[in-house]
Structure formats: structure tokens, C-alpha cells
Amino acid sequence: MGRYFKIFSTFARACLVRDMTFRANFLLECLTSLGWMSMNLAFYLLIFSFTPEIGRNSGWSREPFFAFVATGLIINSIVQTLFMPSASELTEMVRTGGLDSVLVRPLDAQFLLSMHRFDFSSMANGIVGVALLVWSVSRFSVAPPLIACFLYPVLIVCGVAILYGLIIMLAAATILMGRNQSLYDFWFYITNFSRYPAEIYAGPWGGPLRMVCTFVIPILLVVNVPAGTIARPLSGNAWGMISLTCVVAIISVGVSRIVFQAALARYRSASS
Amino acid sequence: MYNSSETKSDRVIEVNDLAKEYRVYDKPEGLWASIRGLFHREKRTIHAVRGVNLSVGRGEFLAMLGPNGAGKTTFLKLLSGIITPTRGSARVMGHVPWDRADDFRRRFALVMGQKNQLWWDLPAAESFRLHQEIYRIEPVRFAQIHDELVDMLGVSRLLGQPVRELSLGERMKLELIAALLHEPEVLFLDEPTIGLDVVAQHTIHEFLRHVQKQRSVTVVLTTHYMKDVAALCERVVVVTEGSILYDGSLEQIVDRFTTHKVVTLDLEHPPAEGEIEKFGFACEVRGPRVSLRIDRTRIADVLPKLLASQQVRDISVEDVPLEEIVAGLFRGAASRQLNNDREQGARLV
């Protein structure tokens, strides 16, 4: 484990050195993602100038909703920083045969492929997310209970694990198909659902969609459950969702590992 | 089988009936064919490696020689566990390669001339540091090997330069250092001199020869270049169409696959028409300079007669160039394969 942490640090260090080498690019990426995030926040502020709450009796009034947005920012920032750059690169590695050099290393291939490249500029959103979370929570009418403060980071990790499992399964599809350029697009479409409170998915179309996005592709658990834990009272239903999120996180990582190993066994490599 | 006298424990690589087949689809030209291809595709089987048997002893330097598409790289990918075979078995240092056990992967290295394994945007020193962590090399030992290899190739000034700014030759030297840092027992080299100039090729030949002798590394090298083979290897495996055509020493190729020698003469005067042809096949007549192909069994009889009949300024008797012999082998194998394929009919499945 210590060795893997050391290798992780070496990768992280090397990527930081590379990012610093292309300083202007690094700063531009930070500014772009901060700009995109600011526009989103402005959009939500605009919505709250018309309504005090999103959804009827949903509990997502202004400050809790900003805690929700902050949770989404933190989780997405972790995924975008740690896993997404490597997963995006995998498509090219499979197409060009670059994966060959990974498979000959005496190291877990999944670890090497999912954590060899980092995008530190994506951390900017996470930092703003933490600040937004602190600001929102400090303005709650009732402070969150201590147990919620303890569960929140655990559920953040679970949310990241669910997304990681999905990324790995998409990456496995890349290995099997030889080319999967739609990986990033598909990822964007899927994660788009997780950016809004589950309560908005109601009615004849919304209900089934909510079920699918909770139990089939459990994307709605990723942000909703940690955000709900910190921003809303811990009811009986909340405990059920917390348990479900923890179980789904473990299953997601486990299944993704099986799928990834099966895909590696079928790797064809590319012509030299 | 070459070197059949060696004991089982001396064998580092053992391959039995190893085969790799790929199913590919034929994509006909045109828009309509592309649309049709969305629903129905005609697939065929490519036999990249066809039931190969091979045994390599500890410390051997073996070259796999073959034209493009012969299956050399596929064979190396099988031996290094990158891909799994369709059938057959292989053991490298006692391990089944495609099980990808860490104990196995720690003991070999693969260098691909056409693929970059170093971090592109960073100096090679950063990649070396990562290798140290991945292969768990003790810091003192790492420094010792690193310095030794860097000195041998004279690349100390390149270590701090981003890899993307290096020439192909410089990059290949650094790739070789990265591959040797963990002191592999087996080294797979896939066309390591491809695209390099003569000086860089020579440096890499010298380096590989030295390292292989000093550390008794077992090396399997794939190449198109006879120069690589002549400079480095005692044993040559000629591969075409996924099968082994020849397995033996370089010298034996000449004995086995040629029946004649090339005699080059510098005469005082250009020969009269038809005068020189009675001694052998005239492959080149350019003024007073003549090249003849003469049957090896007749050479001792023909030469005295030739010297007696002509005023000769200079003479040389040589074997047919190796490139020519090997190219002949490749052509022969390709046409045999084509005939086989015709006999068996189209292999569409």
C-alpha cells in the first residue's frame, strides 16, 4: 500500500511539474473552470430571485441548495483532478498501443491506468466548493448534527467511488471496442443528472427516470445523499439512502474491477 | 531445434505450438458499403503467429528477422504477456507471460522502437525516478546502475531535458536506460534501431553488446536490419507469415540457402562478348569490372581457368550478401503462402 502511495505521489509530482512547465495553459484552465462555475452560481442566484425553494417542500431553499452545489463541485473536482484525465487518455492509449507499456509494469494495471495523469487546474473548483460549503452551512437556520458532519466526508468518498466505478467501466468498454471517443461525452450526459436535486425528477417521466438513476445507474446517489445529509434533517428515509450509497459504492468499485480485468484479458494491442 | 543440448534449467524461454489469430473485418470502399457495414461485416482470420516452437537459453542473444507483418512484434507481445494466445503455451523464466504476475514482470523489460515509454513532456530523470518506485530499486543500487548506464551512453546532459525535445537517437538511448534500471534478466527489443542514423545505430549496438555480455541478459531482438543481426546475434530466427523459416546461426544461413559465390574481377581490358559467361552467370559487366555467380562446388576448378584466360588486376570471392539471401527467403515464403491460400480458397469466415 505504501508503495502504491509513493507511486501515486511520484505521478502527482510529475504532473504538477508538467502543469507548471506550461504555466499559461495551467492558469487558463483554472480561469476557464472558475468562469464556468461562476456563471452557474449566477444562474442559481437568478432562480432564487424568483422562488424561495426548488421543488415544493423539498427543503432545497437557497443556502441548502448552495450546499448541494458545493458538494457537487467538490466531488466533480476530485474526479476531474484524479481520474478523468487518465480515463480520457486511455482511448488514445488503446488506439495507439500505448497501453502495452502499462501492461508490462509490475503494478496493478487498473491503478496505473486510472491514476497516472492528474489535472491540478480542476482543483480550483473544489477549493471554491469548500468555501461555498462553509459559507452555506454557516447560514443554515439549524446547524447540522455532529453525526452528519462525520458522515459527510464518508459519503463524499462514496460518491467519488461510484463515479470512479462508472469511469472504469467506460474505460473497459474502450479496451473492448478499440476506440471509444464518446467516453467523455457519455460521461457528461450521465453526470448531468447528478447535478440537480433528486426531487426535481417527479411526475410520469421524472419518477421512472429517478428510479433508473438511483438503482440502475446510481448517479443520483452521488451528490444528493452527501448533500442531503449535511443540509437536511436525518430522517429514517435518509438513513436508508446513506446505507444504500455505501453499499452501491462498494459494489460499483468491485464490479468495475471485474469488468476491467475481463477487458484487459481481451486486449488486442495495436499494430507497431 | 537450435541449441537442443542445453538443459531444461538453462532454458529461459520455452514456447510450444504458440499461435495468435485475429479476426478483422474487411471494409469495402464507398458510402453504401459503409452503411451496409453497420449491419453486416465480412470477417476474416489473420494468422499472426502460426504454431511456433522455440527455446531460448540463458544469456542468448537471439534475433528475429522478418519482413513487415511477419509476426515478430506479435510474438514479443505474447512473450511479454501483453496479449493472450489463441492456442499453445509459453513459459518465460518459469512464468506463463499472460498471467501477468508481478514476479514475472519485475524480471524483464520491453523496449519498442516505435513507441515512447518515457513521459513525453518531462525530463527522462522524472521517468527514471518513477521506475525506481515501480520496480522497488534500492536508492544506492539505483544510483549505481543509473550512473553506469548514463556514462556508457554519454547522455548525462540529456537527463534534464524534456523528452519531446530530444532526437530519436537520444530518446532511444534513454529508453534503453529506463529498461535496464531494474536489471532485467530478459530483454525484449522490438526494432530498437528503426529510423536511427548509422552513428546512433553503432552506439546502440556497442551498448547492447556490452550490457548483454556483462550481465548475461537473455535478449530477444526483432528487426528488419541485417546490420543489427550481424553486429549482435549468434542465433537468428527467420520469421515469415507467422512461422519460423529458419533457426540457426547467421553463417549457416549462407551455407544452407545459397549454392554459389560471387566472384568480382577487375580486368585489364573489357572482356569480349560471350567470353566471360562460360565461367559462370555474369550478373554485372561494366567495362573491365565483371561480377560472376559461380557454383560453390565448381569454384576451385573455375578460378584457375578464369585467371589463366584473363589479365586480372584484382579479384575477390565473396558469399552472396546476407540481405540478398534473406530477401530471397522472404520472397519464397510469401509466394508459398500465397499458393497455399489459393489452394485452400478464400479464408473468409
Side-chain angles (χ1 to χ4, degrees), chain B residues 251-271:
Chain B
E251 295 77 33
Q252 280 174 342
I253 289 189
V254 179
D255 294 338
R256 199 165 139 189
F257 294 101
T258 58
T259 52
H260 51 270
K261 283 189 176 266
V262 178
V263 177
T264 307
L265 301 153
D266 257 334
L267 305 174
E268 282 294 340
H269 309 287

Side-chain angles (χ1 to χ4, degrees), chain B residues 152-212:
Chain B
M152 275 163 72
L153 285 168
V155 289
S156 55
R157 69 187 167 81
L158 304 177
L159 296 175
Q161 212 172 324
V163 170
R164 66 186 148 78
E165 291 175 7
L166 301 175
S167 71
L168 186 61
E170 290 170 336
R171 188 170 63 72
M172 184 43 64
K173 288 175 189 171
L174 294 170
E175 291 274 357
L176 284 170
I177 292 175
L180 291 165
L181 280 172
H182 63 284
E183 301 179 273
E185 293 166 52
V186 174
L187 182 60
F188 297 123
L189 300 169
D190 186 27
E191 300 177 19
T193 56
I194 196 158
L196 301 188
D197 64 36
V198 183
V199 180
Q201 278 183 24
H202 181 72
T203 311
I204 284 175
H205 288 162
E206 290 287 310
F207 174 74
L208 288 174
R209 202 169 20 225
H210 179 79
V211 167
Q212 195 264 341

